[in-house]
C-alpha cells in the first residue's frame, strides 16, 4: 500500500509543478466528468464519463507505481489517448445517438444532454492537447 501512496504523492507533486492554466484545466476536466455521477444510474454516456475519470485516476496511480520513471504527463497522455478516445466513441456511437434522440424531452434529459455535449467537448479538447503532447514526446 505504501507504493500507491508514494505514487499518489509523486503525481500530486508533479501536478503542483504544472503551470496554473494546466492546473485549472485539470480541475475543469475532473468536475465536468464527476458531474456524470448524477446521471450515471440512468444514462450510459454518464457512466462512460465517470469511468473515464476513474480509469484516469487509478491508471495514473497504478502505472506510476509500476513505472516510477514515467512522468504524470506521459502516463496521462497515454491513458487519455487510449481510453478517452474509446469512451467518446462509445458515447456517440450511432445506437447511443438514436437513444438520445428518442429520449423524452423532459427538463432532466435536456440538462443531461447539455452536460454530455459539454463534457464531451472538454474530453475532445483534452484529446487534441494530448495528441500534441504525444507528438512532442515522440518527435
Amino acid at each position: 500500500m505504501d507504493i500507491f501512496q508514494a505514487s499518489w504523492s509523486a503525481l500530486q507533486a508533479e501536478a503542483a509543478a504544472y503551470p496554473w492554466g494546466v492546473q485549472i484545466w485539470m480541475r475543469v476536466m475532473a468536475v465536468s466528468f464527476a458531474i456524470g455521477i448524477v446521471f450515471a444510474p440512468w444514462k450510459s454516456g454518464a457512466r462512460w464519463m465517470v469511468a473515464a475519470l476513474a480509469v484516469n485516476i487509478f491508471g495514473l496511480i497504478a502505472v506510476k507505481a509500476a513505472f516510477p520513471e514515467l512522468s504524470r504527463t506521459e502516463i496521462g497522455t497515454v491513458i487519455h489517448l487510449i481510453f478517452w478516445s474509446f469512451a467518446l466513441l462509445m458515447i456517440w456511437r450511432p445506437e447511443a445517438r438514436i437513444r438520445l434522440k428518442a429520449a423524452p424531452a423532459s427538463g432532466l434529459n435536456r440538462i443531461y444532454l447539455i452536460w454530455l455535449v459539454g463534457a464531451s467537448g472538454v474530453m475532445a479538447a483534452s484529446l487534441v492537447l494530448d495528441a500534441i503532447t504525444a507528438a512532442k514526446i515522440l518527435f
Side-chain angles (χ1 to χ4, degrees), residues 31-51 91 100 103-104 106-120:
V31 170
S32 297
F33 303 162
I35 290 171
I37 293 169
V38 173
F39 303 107
W42 305 279
K43 303 291 187 180
S44 65
R47 288 190 292 274
W48 278 106
M49 284 291 176
V50 173
I91 290 167
L100 284 171
S106 70
L108 186 60
N109 279 333
R110 285 189 186 122
I111 292 169
Y112 168 72
L113 189 56
I114 291 167
W115 166 79
L116 186 63
V117 169
S120 295

Side-chain angles (χ1 to χ4, degrees), residues 13-25:
E14 287 180 54
Y18 286 161
W20 183 242
V22 174
Q23 291 182 36
I24 290 172
W25 181 249

Side-chain angles (χ1 to χ4, degrees), residues 38-113:
V38 173
F39 303 107
W42 305 279
K43 303 291 187 180
S44 65
R47 288 190 292 274
W48 278 106
M49 284 291 176
V50 173
L53 179 62
V55 165
N56 193 64
I57 292 168
F58 294 117
L60 281 168
I61 295 168
V63 174
K64 188 67 169 179
F67 303 99
E69 68 279 3
L70 294 176
S71 72
R72 180 187 180 112
T73 300
E74 293 166 334
I75 299 167
T77 297
V78 171
I79 290 170
H80 296 173
L81 289 174
I82 294 171
F83 185 76
W84 289 11
S85 297
F86 181 71
L88 278 178
L89 287 173
M90 294 305 293
I91 290 167
W92 295 105
R93 68 190 186 281
E95 301 85 20
R97 288 195 312 267
I98 290 168
R99 276 196 307 272
L100 284 171
K101 289 179 184 176
S106 70
L108 186 60
N109 279 333
R110 285 189 186 122
I111 292 169
Y112 168 72
L113 189 56

